[in-house]
Amino acid sequence: QVQLVESGGGLVQAGGSLRLSCAASGRTFSNSTIAWFRQAAGKEREFVTAITWSGTITYYADSVKGRFTISRDNAKNTVYLQMNSLKPVDTAVYYCAASTGKGRTFVTPLAALYDYWGQGTQVTVSS
């Protein structure tokens, strides 16, 4: 079992930055692939980025590549999402998700393959 709690969301002006955190509890965190997804009002949930358990493989959606950076600190059971050059289109509820037991190099943008989800944190970017 993995429990996930997101934090760090808020209101920021376009061009600004935010850092989201995903704090995890549970013995399998260090063996989990962690991803961030987001869901804007009235839209489907979409993949943002993911990182393997070792942190050596990352995967980004084209829409955030070069602006967002995912990282993890297994000693702190925490994954971070650094978001720079934010745009109004980045406004959404951001969720972290964990996929366990699928191997050290497993990373996927498919939400159905993630086993545990946090409750989400709101990010609002004003123009």
Side-chain angles (χ1 to χ4, degrees):
Q1 288 268 346
V2 177
Q3 293 79 43
L4 305 170
V5 178
E6 303 94 336
S7 62
L11 174 65
V12 64
Q13 288 188 333
S17 298
L18 281 176
R19 188 176 80 157
L20 305 184
S21 298
C22 174
S25 59
R27 291 182 295 174
T28 57
F29 173 77
S30 61
N31 294 324
S32 300
T33 293
I34 304 295
W36 287 93
F37 288 79
R38 66 186 182 185
Q39 187 167 20
K43 296 188 177 181
E44 294 186 354
R45 188 171 299 190
E46 67 171 351
F47 171 79
V48 177
T49 181
I51 189 168
T52 54
W53 74 275
S54 65
T56 56
I57 299 174
T58 57
Y59 182 20
Y60 293 91
D62 287 343
S63 58
V64 305
K65 205 171 291 184
R67 299 188 299 122
F68 290 12
T69 302
I70 190 171
S71 61
R72 69 189 294 165
D73 185 339
N74 286 341
K76 296 182 178 179
N77 281 4
T78 302
V79 171
Y80 304 98
L81 180 62
Q82 178 66 44
M83 305 186 295
N84 298 328
S85 302
L86 282 161
K87 306 174 182 179
V89 295
D90 295 318
T91 295
V93 178
Y94 283 71
Y95 300 89
C96 65
S99 180
T100 61
K102 297 182 181 68
R104 297 183 175 186
T105 60
F106 177 82
V107 63
T108 180
L110 301 178
L113 296 181
Y114 288 87
D115 309 297
Y116 304 97
W117 292 80
Q119 83 292 345
T121 185
Q122 176 71 47
V123 171
T124 303
V125 184
S126 64
S127 57

